[in-house]
Amino acid sequence: MAYYENISLEKGMYTTPGKSFSQVLEELDSSENYRGTPMEGLDAYQRQLKRFAIKVSGPESGTLESFFQSTQSAALFPEYVARAVKQGMESGTRAEDLAATVTRIDAMDYRSIVAEPETEGDTGELKIVAEGALLPSTKIHTSANLVRLQKHGRMLVSTYEALRFQKLDLLTVTLRQIGAYMAGAQVKDAVEVLMNGEDGNTPLTFKKGTPNYGDFIGLWGELAPYELNTVVAGTAAMQKLLQVEEFKDAQAGMNFQGTGTLCTPLGAKLIHVPGMAADKIVVLDRGCALEMVQSGDINLDCDKLIDRQLERAGISVISGFARIFKDAVSGLDCGA
């Protein structure tokens, strides 16, 4: 008998500090032990699904009831929910597409760091230093402001009896959509921090523009030495942006960027945020502008899910954002 078939599954595996259910399983049943075997390519959780013959996708997808054939197999259900939600969060635009780094914490309070020249009037430019002279200093210190963490989630309101014979494929679609909604909310939070200084920074100053190609050339030059590699806009501003002749002309894009791909503003990635202010466009260097802070992973009412008490079982994430280098972001107001 394979080792993965001897592992005892129970609720407490979801409450191990600093570790997810999958990480706990992986420690008990390392995937390294399955190299060169038919199990290679499966992680510890997927091996447990195989152990109990639970198929979560494909033409032979099982039903919800297949998770509850025993108390041990029932312990796999919350992780299935979390993975389906995570798939939805990763299927479209993610907050990580705007963030230079993701900091994971196990707390509700967090202070980011600030890097700034120690001497007043120092712009950070590296100038020639005479022999024997002191090198200019950059001071790194803890921010005076706490990162504002926001909780986003949905409540599953149903009964086990209503869902027990439903195919897991269908339930996965619903859970993925919940994940997509949560990811969209995180992206809106990230944009709010960039625009309005929700992290304690001053709000972004927007320049008036049409927009046109000249506006973006100006933003590109202003952002230097940072790289303009990401453009974020709401629906109305995005529609205006896509009408700029230089951005519609594929040949112009090839001449400017030296690629055969569809032209985007100066080679930057376009991110559409439907809930963003109608006429605002934000440009940034995603490698320097924003830190994403996440408290834990996807939060589930695991006990309820395992005990088949699906009525009002919550699914949520807690995250926040902080600007790192304030000059790595700029904005354009293309309102009439």
Side-chain angles (χ1 to χ4, degrees):
M1 182 180 290
Y3 179 71
Y4 70 90
E5 295 182 335
N6 293 322
I7 293 175
S8 179
L9 304 175
E10 46 94 16
K11 293 180 182 181
M13 297 170 75
Y14 286 96
T15 58
T16 303
K19 294 178 183 177
S20 67
F21 180 80
S22 286
Q23 289 171 330
V24 173
L25 268 183
E26 196 66 37
E27 288 183 356
L28 296 173
D29 181 35
S30 175
S31 296
E32 292 293 324
N33 299 328
Y34 295 87
R35 290 186 181 275
T37 74
M39 292 288 187
E40 185 174 11
L42 300 181
D43 63 23
Y45 176 74
Q46 291 168 328
R47 287 191 290 275
Q48 291 301 313
L49 292 179
K50 184 175 181 64
R51 170 187 175 185
F52 292 100
I54 300 172
K55 296 182 178 180
V56 297
S57 62
E60 298 181 5
S61 168
T63 62
L64 179 67
E65 189 176 39
S66 61
F67 274 105
F68 297 98
Q69 55 193 288
S70 70
T71 55
Q72 291 209 70
S73 62
L76 297 172
F77 184 56
E79 180 66 10
Y80 154 74
V81 174
R83 290 191 176 207
V85 171
K86 188 171 291 187
Q87 287 174 9
M89 295 184 71
E90 294 176 348
S91 63
T93 300
R94 306 174 305 150
E96 288 90 334
D97 294 331
L98 296 172
T101 183
V102 179
T103 302
R104 302 191 184 278
I105 62 173
D106 289 313
M108 291 301 295
D109 291 332
Y110 177 78
R111 294 182 190 272
S112 188
I113 60 172
V114 178
E116 56 190 7
E118 195 167 26
T119 305
E120 187 176 350
D122 186 353
T123 62
E125 181 182 354
L126 297 182
K127 300 178 181 179
I128 296 174
V129 179
E131 183 178 353
L134 293 175
L135 290 171
S137 301
T138 295
K139 182 180 180 182
I140 299 178
H141 60 90
T142 304
S143 172
N145 302 292
L146 287 171
V147 174
R148 183 180 179 189
L149 298 178
Q150 306 269 32
K151 184 175 182 178
H152 298 289
R154 284 277 177 173
M155 193 73 72
L156 284 180
V157 182
S158 183
T159 63
Y160 172 69
E161 288 73 18
L163 296 177
R164 61 182 296 189
F165 298 121
Q166 292 295 331
K167 289 286 188 178
L168 291 171
D169 258 350
L170 179 59
L171 181 57
T172 298
V173 171
T174 302
L175 295 172
R176 283 176 179 166
Q177 190 57 41
I178 290 174
Y181 287 142
M182 290 162 65
Q186 286 182 325
V187 171
K188 286 176 65 176
D189 287 347
V191 172
E192 284 296 315
V193 169
L194 290 171
M195 291 175 54
N196 302 321
E198 296 287 341
D199 59 342
N201 279 297
T202 55
L204 190 62
T205 300
F206 286 85
K207 294 149 190 69
K208 289 289 184 179
T210 311
N212 57 39
Y213 194 66
D215 292 329
F216 274 87
I217 294 296
L219 290 172
W220 172 79
E222 180 185 301
L223 216 57
Y226 299 102
E227 179 184 0
L228 195 164
N229 53 32
T230 305
V231 177
V232 185
T235 301
M238 187 66 77
Q239 289 171 339
K240 291 180 181 180
L241 178 59
L242 295 176
Q243 292 299 315
V244 176
E245 287 299 323
E246 288 84 353
F247 300 156
K248 292 192 295 181
D249 186 346
Q251 187 62 43
M254 290 173 66
N255 291 339
F256 187 86
Q257 302 173 51
T259 72
T261 58
L262 186 64
C263 184
T264 59
L266 310 183
K269 180 175 182 177
L270 287 173
I271 296 180
H272 176 213
V273 182
M276 187 173 164
D279 295 314
K280 299 293 193 297
I281 296 175
V282 174
V283 300
L284 64 141
D285 184 340
R286 66 174 172 269
C288 301
L290 197 67
E291 176 188 15
M292 179 178 179
V293 181
Q294 188 153 336
S295 178
D297 207 337
I298 295 173
N299 302 309
L300 301 170
D301 289 337
C302 295
D303 284 350
K304 288 186 178 181
L305 294 176
I306 292 171
D307 294 337
R308 289 177 275 190
Q309 298 173 2
L310 302 188
E311 298 93 337
R312 309 196 67 79
I315 305 171
S316 63
V317 290
I318 300 174
S319 59
F321 300 88
R323 278 189 278 179
I324 304 174
F325 293 99
K326 61 182 180 181
D327 296 330
V329 58
S330 187
L332 182 71
D333 185 345
C334 56

